[in-house]
Amino acid sequence: MLIVMEANATSQMVEKVCTEIEKMGLKAHAMPGAQRTAIGVTGNTAQVDSDRILAQVGVKEIIHVTKPYKLVSREFYPENSVIEISSDVKIGGDKIIIMAGPCSVESRDQCLRIAERVAKAGAKVFRAGAYKPRTSPYSFQGLKEEGLKILAEVRKQHNLLIVTEAIDTETLGLVAEYTDIIQIGARNMQNYSLLKKAGQQPKPVLLKRGMSATLEELLMAAEYILNEGNRKVILCERGVRTFADHTRNTLDLSAIPFVKRMSHLPIISDPSHGTGRRDKVLPLSRASLAVGADGLLIEVHHDPANALSDGQQSITPDTFDKLTKEMQAIAAVMGRSC
Ligand code: PEP
Ligand code: MN
Protein backbone atom coordinates (compact mmCIF):
# COMPACT_ATOMS: atom_id res chain seq x y z
CA MET A 1 0.00 0.00 0.00
CA LEU A 2 1.22 3.46 -0.89
CA ILE A 3 0.01 6.64 0.75
CA VAL A 4 0.56 9.66 -1.47
CA MET A 5 0.86 12.94 0.41
CA GLU A 6 -0.23 16.33 -0.95
CA ALA A 7 2.64 18.26 -2.59
CA ASN A 8 2.57 20.83 0.23
CA ALA A 9 2.39 18.30 3.09
CA THR A 10 4.82 19.17 5.90
CA SER A 11 7.28 16.73 7.49
CA GLN A 12 5.15 16.80 10.68
CA MET A 13 2.14 15.63 8.65
CA VAL A 14 4.23 12.81 7.16
CA GLU A 15 5.46 11.82 10.61
CA LYS A 16 1.93 11.79 12.01
CA VAL A 17 0.75 9.43 9.24
CA CYS A 18 3.75 7.15 9.87
CA THR A 19 2.85 7.02 13.58
CA GLU A 20 -0.74 6.05 12.73
CA ILE A 21 0.53 3.25 10.46
CA GLU A 22 2.85 1.93 13.15
CA LYS A 23 -0.01 1.95 15.66
CA MET A 24 -1.76 -0.50 13.32
CA GLY A 25 1.23 -2.86 13.68
CA LEU A 26 2.58 -2.13 10.19
CA LYS A 27 5.84 -0.63 8.89
CA ALA A 28 5.86 2.89 7.40
CA HIS A 29 8.60 3.92 4.95
CA ALA A 30 8.61 7.63 4.12
CA MET A 31 9.89 8.15 0.57
CA PRO A 32 10.52 11.80 -0.22
CA GLY A 33 10.70 12.42 -3.97
CA ALA A 34 11.10 15.41 -6.27
CA GLN A 35 7.36 15.61 -7.07
CA ARG A 36 5.74 14.20 -3.94
CA THR A 37 6.33 12.45 -0.66
CA ALA A 38 4.85 9.01 -0.46
CA ILE A 39 4.71 6.60 2.45
CA GLY A 40 5.14 2.93 1.64
CA VAL A 41 3.27 0.62 3.98
CA THR A 42 4.40 -2.97 4.39
CA GLY A 43 3.09 -5.81 6.49
CA ASN A 44 -0.39 -7.31 6.36
CA THR A 45 -2.10 -4.29 4.77
CA ALA A 46 -5.34 -6.18 4.10
CA GLN A 47 -6.66 -5.17 7.54
CA VAL A 48 -5.87 -1.47 7.20
CA ASP A 49 -8.68 0.96 7.81
CA SER A 50 -8.27 3.22 4.74
CA ASP A 51 -10.74 5.81 6.03
CA ARG A 52 -8.62 6.36 9.14
CA ILE A 53 -5.61 7.12 6.92
CA LEU A 54 -7.50 9.27 4.42
CA ALA A 55 -8.77 11.34 7.36
CA GLN A 56 -5.21 12.41 8.24
CA VAL A 57 -4.18 15.94 7.29
CA GLY A 58 -2.01 16.08 4.14
CA VAL A 59 -3.01 12.68 2.71
CA LYS A 60 -3.93 12.86 -0.98
CA GLU A 61 -4.69 9.26 -1.89
CA ILE A 62 -4.05 5.60 -1.21
CA ILE A 63 -2.75 3.32 -3.96
CA HIS A 64 -2.97 -0.44 -3.59
CA VAL A 65 0.07 -2.09 -5.20
CA THR A 66 -0.73 -5.50 -6.55
CA LYS A 67 2.85 -6.67 -7.18
CA PRO A 68 4.37 -8.85 -4.45
CA TYR A 69 7.34 -6.47 -4.19
CA LYS A 70 6.45 -3.04 -2.91
CA LEU A 71 9.36 -0.89 -1.72
CA VAL A 72 11.52 -1.74 -4.73
CA SER A 73 8.71 -1.08 -7.24
CA ARG A 74 8.41 1.90 -9.55
CA GLU A 75 4.87 2.38 -8.25
CA PHE A 76 6.25 3.14 -4.80
CA TYR A 77 9.06 5.36 -6.10
CA PRO A 78 8.73 6.55 -9.73
CA GLU A 79 12.15 8.23 -10.00
CA ASN A 80 15.46 6.37 -10.45
CA SER A 81 17.16 5.73 -7.12
CA VAL A 82 20.68 7.08 -7.17
CA ILE A 83 22.84 5.33 -4.59
CA GLU A 84 25.53 7.54 -3.12
CA ILE A 85 28.67 5.57 -2.32
CA SER A 86 30.86 8.61 -1.71
CA SER A 87 30.61 12.31 -2.51
CA ASP A 88 31.75 11.70 -6.08
CA VAL A 89 30.64 8.13 -6.78
CA LYS A 90 26.93 7.61 -7.27
CA ILE A 91 25.29 4.60 -8.91
CA GLY A 92 22.10 4.96 -10.96
CA GLY A 93 22.63 8.48 -12.26
CA ASP A 94 24.10 9.64 -15.58
CA LYS A 95 27.54 8.27 -14.83
CA ILE A 96 28.31 4.62 -15.50
CA ILE A 97 30.44 3.19 -12.69
CA ILE A 98 33.01 0.50 -13.40
CA MET A 99 34.00 -1.85 -10.58
CA ALA A 100 37.02 -4.01 -11.31
CA GLY A 101 39.59 -6.24 -9.67
CA PRO A 102 40.46 -9.90 -9.15
CA CYS A 103 37.94 -12.54 -8.14
CA SER A 104 39.77 -13.10 -4.83
CA VAL A 105 42.19 -11.22 -2.64
CA GLU A 106 45.25 -13.46 -3.01
CA SER A 107 47.98 -11.25 -1.56
CA ARG A 108 48.82 -7.62 -0.81
CA ASP A 109 51.13 -7.43 -3.79
CA GLN A 110 48.53 -8.91 -6.18
CA CYS A 111 45.80 -6.48 -5.09
CA LEU A 112 47.97 -3.35 -5.08
CA ARG A 113 49.35 -4.23 -8.49
CA ILE A 114 45.91 -4.75 -10.07
CA ALA A 115 44.41 -1.77 -8.22
CA GLU A 116 47.03 0.58 -9.64
CA ARG A 117 46.11 -0.44 -13.18
CA VAL A 118 42.32 -0.43 -12.81
CA ALA A 119 42.37 2.95 -11.04
CA LYS A 120 44.48 4.42 -13.83
CA ALA A 121 42.07 3.05 -16.43
CA GLY A 122 39.08 4.73 -14.75
CA ALA A 123 37.54 2.19 -12.37
CA LYS A 124 36.04 3.86 -9.31
CA VAL A 125 35.46 0.74 -7.22
CA PHE A 126 37.87 -2.14 -6.56
CA ARG A 127 36.33 -5.60 -6.32
CA ALA A 128 37.90 -8.69 -4.70
CA GLY A 129 36.57 -11.37 -2.40
CA ALA A 130 38.12 -11.90 1.02
CA TYR A 131 35.50 -14.55 1.85
CA LYS A 132 34.88 -16.83 -1.12
CA PRO A 133 31.79 -19.03 -1.52
CA ARG A 134 33.31 -21.89 -3.51
CA THR A 135 31.52 -24.82 -5.09
CA SER A 136 34.14 -27.20 -3.71
CA PRO A 137 35.13 -27.15 -0.01
CA TYR A 138 38.69 -27.96 -1.16
CA SER A 139 39.05 -24.80 -3.29
CA PHE A 140 40.65 -21.59 -1.97
CA GLN A 141 38.21 -20.07 0.54
CA GLY A 142 39.72 -16.58 0.77
CA LEU A 143 42.09 -14.75 3.12
CA LYS A 144 39.19 -13.63 5.33
CA GLU A 145 40.03 -10.76 7.72
CA GLU A 146 43.60 -10.54 6.42
CA GLY A 147 42.04 -10.00 2.98
CA LEU A 148 39.81 -7.21 4.32
CA LYS A 149 42.91 -5.47 5.69
CA ILE A 150 44.54 -5.65 2.26
CA LEU A 151 41.42 -4.08 0.75
CA ALA A 152 41.62 -1.23 3.27
CA GLU A 153 45.16 -0.59 2.07
CA VAL A 154 44.02 -0.60 -1.57
CA ARG A 155 41.42 2.05 -0.74
CA LYS A 156 44.01 4.25 0.93
CA GLN A 157 46.78 3.92 -1.66
CA HIS A 158 44.70 4.14 -4.82
CA ASN A 159 41.71 6.22 -3.79
CA LEU A 160 39.35 3.43 -4.83
CA LEU A 161 36.13 2.45 -3.11
CA ILE A 162 35.76 -1.22 -2.18
CA VAL A 163 33.14 -3.85 -2.89
CA THR A 164 33.57 -7.24 -1.27
CA GLU A 165 31.33 -10.15 -0.42
CA ALA A 166 29.73 -11.06 2.91
CA ILE A 167 28.93 -14.78 2.84
CA ASP A 168 27.18 -15.19 6.19
CA THR A 169 25.51 -13.34 9.05
CA GLU A 170 28.46 -14.06 11.38
CA THR A 171 30.95 -12.06 9.33
CA LEU A 172 28.69 -9.42 7.74
CA GLY A 173 29.43 -6.90 10.50
CA LEU A 174 33.18 -7.28 10.06
CA VAL A 175 32.94 -6.98 6.26
CA ALA A 176 30.80 -3.84 6.68
CA GLU A 177 33.51 -2.23 8.81
CA TYR A 178 36.04 -2.52 6.00
CA THR A 179 34.07 -2.12 2.81
CA ASP A 180 32.12 0.65 1.03
CA ILE A 181 29.67 -1.74 -0.64
CA ILE A 182 28.67 -5.16 0.72
CA GLN A 183 28.27 -7.78 -1.99
CA ILE A 184 25.69 -10.52 -1.54
CA GLY A 185 26.54 -13.22 -4.03
CA ALA A 186 24.40 -15.33 -6.34
CA ARG A 187 24.50 -18.32 -3.97
CA ASN A 188 23.14 -16.20 -1.14
CA MET A 189 20.45 -14.27 -3.00
CA GLN A 190 17.74 -16.08 -1.05
CA ASN A 191 19.57 -16.28 2.27
CA TYR A 192 16.88 -14.33 4.08
CA SER A 193 18.69 -13.93 7.40
CA LEU A 194 21.70 -12.48 5.54
CA LEU A 195 19.45 -10.15 3.53
CA LYS A 196 17.72 -8.94 6.70
CA LYS A 197 21.02 -8.31 8.44
CA ALA A 198 22.27 -6.35 5.41
CA GLY A 199 19.08 -4.31 5.63
CA GLN A 200 19.68 -3.46 9.27
CA GLN A 201 22.99 -1.66 8.64
CA PRO A 202 23.67 1.47 6.58
CA LYS A 203 26.29 0.40 3.98
CA PRO A 204 25.10 0.03 0.35
CA VAL A 205 24.48 -3.54 -0.80
CA LEU A 206 25.29 -5.05 -4.20
CA LEU A 207 22.78 -7.88 -4.62
CA LYS A 208 23.62 -10.43 -7.31
CA ARG A 209 20.95 -12.42 -9.08
CA GLY A 210 20.85 -16.09 -8.13
CA MET A 211 21.93 -18.41 -10.92
CA SER A 212 18.41 -19.77 -11.35
CA ALA A 213 16.39 -16.90 -9.95
CA THR A 214 13.57 -15.18 -11.79
CA LEU A 215 13.51 -11.40 -11.80
CA GLU A 216 10.56 -11.42 -9.43
CA GLU A 217 12.64 -13.50 -7.00
CA LEU A 218 15.53 -11.03 -7.37
CA LEU A 219 13.25 -8.08 -6.64
CA MET A 220 11.70 -9.91 -3.67
CA ALA A 221 15.21 -10.52 -2.30
CA ALA A 222 15.93 -6.79 -2.59
CA GLU A 223 12.59 -6.12 -0.88
CA TYR A 224 13.91 -7.95 2.23
CA ILE A 225 16.78 -5.45 2.46
CA LEU A 226 14.63 -2.36 1.93
CA ASN A 227 11.99 -3.62 4.35
CA GLU A 228 14.61 -3.54 7.13
CA GLY A 229 15.31 0.13 6.39
CA ASN A 230 18.30 0.10 4.01
CA ARG A 231 17.31 1.59 0.64
CA LYS A 232 20.84 1.58 -0.77
CA VAL A 233 20.60 -1.50 -2.95
CA ILE A 234 22.27 -2.01 -6.32
CA LEU A 235 21.16 -5.05 -8.31
CA CYS A 236 23.49 -7.11 -10.48
CA GLU A 237 22.77 -9.36 -13.45
CA ARG A 238 25.48 -12.04 -13.42
CA GLY A 239 24.11 -14.69 -15.75
CA VAL A 240 21.81 -17.65 -15.23
CA ARG A 241 22.08 -21.38 -15.86
CA THR A 242 20.77 -22.47 -19.23
CA PHE A 243 21.31 -25.39 -21.63
CA ALA A 244 24.07 -23.40 -23.35
CA ASP A 245 27.50 -24.93 -22.90
CA HIS A 246 29.56 -22.45 -24.88
CA THR A 247 29.57 -20.21 -21.79
CA ARG A 248 29.56 -20.84 -18.02
CA ASN A 249 26.30 -18.90 -17.60
CA THR A 250 24.02 -17.02 -19.97
CA LEU A 251 24.15 -13.29 -19.32
CA ASP A 252 20.48 -12.30 -19.42
CA LEU A 253 20.73 -8.88 -21.04
CA SER A 254 16.96 -8.50 -21.23
CA ALA A 255 16.88 -8.50 -17.42
CA ILE A 256 18.36 -5.01 -17.40
CA PRO A 257 15.60 -3.08 -19.24
CA PHE A 258 12.99 -5.28 -17.53
CA VAL A 259 14.26 -4.49 -14.03
CA LYS A 260 14.53 -0.80 -14.92
CA ARG A 261 10.86 -0.78 -15.86
CA MET A 262 9.69 -2.61 -12.75
CA SER A 263 12.02 -1.07 -10.18
CA HIS A 264 13.67 2.24 -9.31
CA LEU A 265 16.84 0.48 -8.14
CA PRO A 266 20.02 0.70 -10.23
CA ILE A 267 21.26 -2.46 -11.95
CA ILE A 268 24.78 -3.26 -13.08
CA SER A 269 26.06 -6.11 -15.25
CA ASP A 270 28.75 -8.70 -14.51
CA PRO A 271 29.89 -10.10 -17.87
CA SER A 272 32.75 -11.98 -16.16
CA HIS A 273 30.57 -14.45 -14.22
CA GLY A 274 27.87 -13.93 -16.86
CA THR A 275 29.96 -15.67 -19.49
CA GLY A 276 32.84 -17.33 -17.64
CA ARG A 277 35.03 -16.72 -20.69
CA ARG A 278 37.67 -14.01 -20.93
CA ASP A 279 37.12 -13.39 -24.65
CA LYS A 280 33.39 -12.71 -24.10
CA VAL A 281 33.85 -10.01 -21.43
CA LEU A 282 34.48 -7.08 -23.78
CA PRO A 283 31.61 -7.81 -26.23
CA LEU A 284 29.12 -8.41 -23.41
CA SER A 285 30.30 -5.22 -21.65
CA ARG A 286 29.47 -3.28 -24.80
CA ALA A 287 26.04 -4.89 -24.94
CA SER A 288 25.39 -4.28 -21.23
CA LEU A 289 25.85 -0.55 -21.62
CA ALA A 290 23.70 -0.54 -24.72
CA VAL A 291 20.76 -2.10 -22.83
CA GLY A 292 21.02 0.45 -20.03
CA ALA A 293 23.24 -1.01 -17.30
CA ASP A 294 24.27 1.53 -14.65
CA GLY A 295 27.68 -0.02 -14.24
CA LEU A 296 29.91 -3.04 -14.79
CA LEU A 297 31.60 -5.53 -12.48
CA ILE A 298 34.71 -6.88 -14.20
CA GLU A 299 37.27 -9.44 -13.06
CA VAL A 300 40.82 -8.32 -13.83
CA HIS A 301 44.00 -10.25 -13.00
CA HIS A 302 47.62 -9.50 -13.93
CA ASP A 303 48.32 -13.25 -14.23
CA PRO A 304 45.01 -14.99 -15.01
CA ALA A 305 46.67 -18.35 -15.67
CA ASN A 306 47.76 -18.51 -12.03
CA ALA A 307 44.74 -16.87 -10.39
CA LEU A 308 43.41 -18.74 -7.33
CA SER A 309 39.83 -18.38 -8.60
CA ASP A 310 38.06 -17.53 -11.87
CA GLY A 311 41.23 -17.11 -13.94
CA GLN A 312 39.46 -18.29 -17.11
CA GLN A 313 37.13 -15.29 -17.02
CA SER A 314 39.62 -12.68 -15.80
CA ILE A 315 40.88 -10.15 -18.32
CA THR A 316 44.34 -8.63 -18.14
CA PRO A 317 44.96 -4.98 -17.20
CA ASP A 318 45.84 -4.24 -20.86
CA THR A 319 42.46 -5.55 -22.04
CA PHE A 320 40.80 -3.59 -19.24
CA ASP A 321 42.42 -0.38 -20.59
CA LYS A 322 40.82 -1.09 -23.95
CA LEU A 323 37.49 -1.89 -22.30
CA THR A 324 37.24 1.37 -20.35
CA LYS A 325 38.11 3.42 -23.46
CA GLU A 326 35.37 1.68 -25.42
CA MET A 327 32.89 2.13 -22.58
CA GLN A 328 33.49 5.89 -22.60
CA ALA A 329 32.50 5.99 -26.28
CA ILE A 330 29.43 3.79 -25.78
CA ALA A 331 28.32 5.74 -22.70
CA ALA A 332 28.41 8.94 -24.76
CA VAL A 333 26.12 7.39 -27.39
CA MET A 334 23.72 6.50 -24.58
CA GLY A 335 23.74 10.12 -23.34
CA ARG A 336 25.75 9.12 -20.28
CA SER A 337 29.37 9.33 -19.19
CA CYS A 338 31.83 6.80 -17.92
C1 PEP B 1 32.18 -13.04 -7.39
O1 PEP B 1 31.77 -11.90 -7.65
O2 PEP B 1 33.39 -13.36 -7.38
C2 PEP B 1 31.18 -14.12 -7.21
C3 PEP B 1 31.45 -15.18 -6.45
O3 PEP B 1 30.04 -13.90 -7.89
P1 PEP B 1 28.66 -14.72 -7.99
O4 PEP B 1 28.06 -14.66 -6.63
O5 PEP B 1 27.90 -13.95 -9.02
O6 PEP B 1 28.99 -16.12 -8.43
MN1 MN C 1 34.65 -14.63 -9.28
Side-chain angles (χ1 to χ4, degrees):
M1 174 189 267
L2 187 69
I3 302 168
V4 182
M5 300 298 289
E6 300 282 3
N8 58 2
T10 62
S11 54
Q12 285 91 331
M13 291 175 193
V14 174
E15 251 171 60
K16 172 91 189 345
V17 176
C18 291
T19 311
E20 283 300 315
I21 297 297
E22 275 150 19
K23 273 195 222 156
M24 296 177 193
L26 300 164
K27 271 193 190 172
H29 311 259
M31 304 174 130
Q35 315 292 335
R36 62 170 197 196
T37 288
I39 302 167
V41 182
T42 56
N44 185 3
T45 56
Q47 337 263 1
V48 174
D49 177 357
S50 300
D51 290 343
R52 195 166 134 196
I53 294 170
L54 285 166
Q56 300 294 315
V57 187
V59 172
K60 186 172 174 225
E61 60 177 328
I62 294 180
I63 298 173
H64 292 278
V65 177
T66 48
K67 302 239 169 42
Y69 45 88
K70 314 284 180 193
L71 300 170
V72 305
S73 73
R74 278 261 177 222
E75 282 130 307
F76 263 52
Y77 192 73
E79 295 148 48
N80 289 333
S81 277
V82 178
I83 313 295
E84 187 170 326
I85 315 294
S86 70
S87 57
D88 54 46
V89 177
K90 298 178 178 69
I91 303 177
D94 288 341
K95 208 165 155 62
I96 284 156
I97 300 298
I98 302 187
M99 308 182 187
C103 179
S104 303
V105 178
E106 296 171 10
S107 69
R108 180 177 176 274
D109 176 63
Q110 170 241 20
C111 278
L112 290 174
R113 203 166 159 164
I114 299 168
E116 185 181 3
R117 292 292 304 271
V118 299
K120 219 179 193 167
K124 297 285 178 230
V125 182
F126 186 76
R127 65 137 296 142
Y131 293 86
K132 295 304 301 177
R134 303 303 300 279
T135 305
S136 163
Y138 311 119
S139 301
F140 175 61
Q141 304 285 314
L143 295 183
K144 308 192 169 77
E145 189 167 3
E146 187 195 334
L148 295 175
K149 289 187 175 144
I150 293 170
L151 292 174
E153 207 176 331
V154 165
R155 181 199 290 105
K156 211 157 145 196
Q157 281 205 25
H158 295 289
N159 196 27
L160 284 161
L161 295 163
I162 303 295
V163 59
T164 196
E165 183 165 351
I167 58 168
D168 52 36
T169 51
E170 290 77 16
T171 50
L172 184 135
L174 184 67
V175 171
E177 275 175 36
Y178 283 92
T179 197
D180 300 287
I181 306 172
I182 300 168
Q183 178 172 319
I184 294 188
R187 290 158 190 80
N188 267 319
M189 191 205 82
Q190 287 179 313
N191 179 339
Y192 299 118
S193 40
L194 186 62
L195 297 172
K196 282 191 202 164
K197 193 143 189 202
Q200 288 156 2
Q201 59 77 53
K203 289 271 167 89
V205 178
L206 177 68
L207 177 64
K208 300 187 88 175
R209 180 181 181 184
M211 55 192 83
S212 57
T214 64
L215 295 179
E216 187 170 291
E217 286 164 344
L218 171 65
L219 293 173
M220 293 302 283
E223 185 83 13
Y224 266 90
I225 303 173
L226 271 78
N227 193 38
E228 294 298 323
N230 185 357
R231 294 177 58 194
K232 294 186 167 184
V233 175
I234 304 140
L235 303 170
C236 179
E237 165 56 39
R238 50 77 74 205
V240 288
R241 283 268 167 87
T242 67
F243 54 82
D245 58 4
H246 62 289
T247 50
R248 177 182 176 188
N249 292 299
T250 297
L251 188 70
D252 180 7
L253 288 169
S254 68
I256 292 165
F258 183 88
V259 163
K260 288 218 151 275
R261 189 157 65 84
M262 307 313 274
S263 174
H264 52 85
L265 296 175
I267 179 161
I268 69 166
S269 171
D270 173 355
S272 304
H273 294 86
T275 63
R277 303 280 175 103
R278 184 178 313 134
D279 62 323
K280 303 290 182 292
V281 172
L282 181 56
L284 271 297
S285 296
R286 295 177 186 130
S288 297
L289 259 56
V291 293
D294 295 302
L296 294 171
L297 185 69
I298 308 283
E299 287 190 340
V300 179
H301 200 289
H302 64 288
D303 183 12
N306 289 303
L308 294 183
S309 58
D310 287 350
Q312 71 291 351
Q313 66 196 34
S314 300
I315 60 171
T316 61
D318 287 346
T319 308
F320 185 69
D321 285 343
K322 183 170 152 51
L323 184 145
T324 53
K325 283 203 187 80
E326 282 201 24
M327 293 311 116
Q328 284 157 15
I330 297 171
V333 172
M334 301 295 295
R336 304 179 82 172
S337 63
C338 191

